Amino acid sequence: MTRQRDDEALAILRENDRGGFSVPAAGLYPFQWNWDSAFAALGYAHIDPERAVTELETLAHAQWPDGMIPHIVFHREDEGYFPGPGVWASGMTPPTSGITQPPVLAIAIARLVKAGHLHGERLNTLLVAANAWHDWFQHARRDPETGAICVIHPWESGRDNMPDWDDALDAVDASHVQPFKRRDTGHVDAAMRPTDEQYKRYIALVEFGIASGWDQEALARTCPFFVADPGMTGILILAERALADAAGKAGLNDLAGAARDREARLIEGFGALWDEEMGAPTTRNVRTGARGKNISSMAFLGLGFGMLPEARAARLAAEFDRIAERVTFMVPSYDPDCDLFEEARYWRGPVWLVVNWLIAMGLEAAGDTHRADRIRDDSRALVEEGGFFEYYSPMSGAPLGGGTFTWTAAAWLDFVRGTNGRDQS
Ligand code: 2M8
């Protein structure tokens, strides 16, 4: 079965390749998505390293003049997805959405450098792009009180429908949003997707961005939705480390120094999201001060090396172990012991292999191979049983959402089979 899955993973990466960029899944997601692409590159590295580099270049090529790398790049028209380029109206070439996504790019760059696939001018260009993007987060997405990184739309977090966004999203006025036709529910079961009410508010936030002329620094001050996220902050910490490492190897010492400085400030920001009662970092609604009510999967990035002081990391590890007892497959996107947990609904409970990959990467760096192995073994079992789906039930392992998914295939090749890049060191 394992070998057969290897072949299937390679076939998915080839089939979802649109020439220079990959789509997350044919039909459901027909454009280039930001963090999907960074993970895809790590999958392509196992088939065709040149193609892996190109994936990152097409993504970086869509960078805005202000430094933001957008969450979707619309290289070609496709009627199969809503909201498309006309709705976002970003005015960019190529057309893009107007928000960002978790910054996995530098993590992919560093891994390609380590494997000997990326160097010279092409490397320098990518490092400069990643550095400008990381810098942009400090100007356009920083919580002035904690120094943690915020999102102006649930879609920015990549964990779109996570319950901790609910309150802030409910406060968004969607009364003026004109009727529209969703496309996602034509591809997958509506019971697994966000509700229509949530979708209306997603669109209201897009319209708010357009009305501001997509001025990202202004949006940080005025957007009704502005929530600090341990996920975004933790991933940016990993990305700053990766950037410092790759820039150091490339001899770009100023750039490496800037990344290290930002990393130190982000670690403080991550720590400021610690919730003593919860024993975990949680979201913070910057507009109201309200905190997330439960533990989401990304909190476990805090188990990574140097993210939290020892006593807090130990408390967080106890929460990890409690959840690990409750589910068959780690890591559920939301705490299974709370009322808001939904086993099959998008980002309200199911397991995503790319989240597992990031959490396990942190655990390994911290020397916690025991918990990292639990995550890897569960990830392997999910794919062996269910194939390459978008996400899975943490209870039954049932495959859910879209099929033949690019980042799940990449996670299989690089994280499950390739042991997180350890084979390449
Ligand atoms: C999902 O998000 C898109 C919007 O960006 C959607 O639901 O329409 C999320 O799982 C996101 O993290 C992911 O990047 C994207 C493509 O896989 O799908």
Side-chain angles (χ1 to χ4, degrees), residues 265-344:
R265 277 184 275 140
L266 287 165
I267 287 179
E268 280 178 31
F270 189 81
L273 293 182
W274 179 259
D275 184 316
E276 193 53 36
E277 206 178 309
M278 209 80 73
T282 60
T283 55
R284 188 182 101 85
N285 183 339
V286 176
R287 304 294 178 234
T288 63
R291 302 300 303 272
K293 297 191 184 77
N294 294 290
I295 299 180
S296 83
S297 53
M298 285 293 193
F300 296 118
L301 290 174
L303 296 176
F305 174 74
M307 292 273 189
L308 290 170
E310 222 173 288
R312 287 182 175 180
R315 275 203 68 192
L316 185 60
E319 295 299 332
F320 181 99
D321 295 342
R322 171 182 60 78
I323 292 175
E325 286 276 306
R326 281 274 289 123
V327 301
T328 317
F329 301 97
M330 286 295 268
V331 178
S333 39
Y334 211 61
D335 191 336
D337 281 326
C338 78
D339 299 348
L340 297 165
F341 172 81
E342 289 183 69
E343 176 186 346

Side-chain angles (χ1 to χ4, degrees), residues 24 29 33 35-36 71 81 101 158 160 193 346-347 405 407:
Y29 302 118
W33 259 260
W35 70 326
D36 296 67
H71 111 284
Y81 183 81
Q101 250 195 337
D160 306 1
R193 296 285 301 178
Y346 190 69
W347 294 108
F405 226 82
W407 69 12

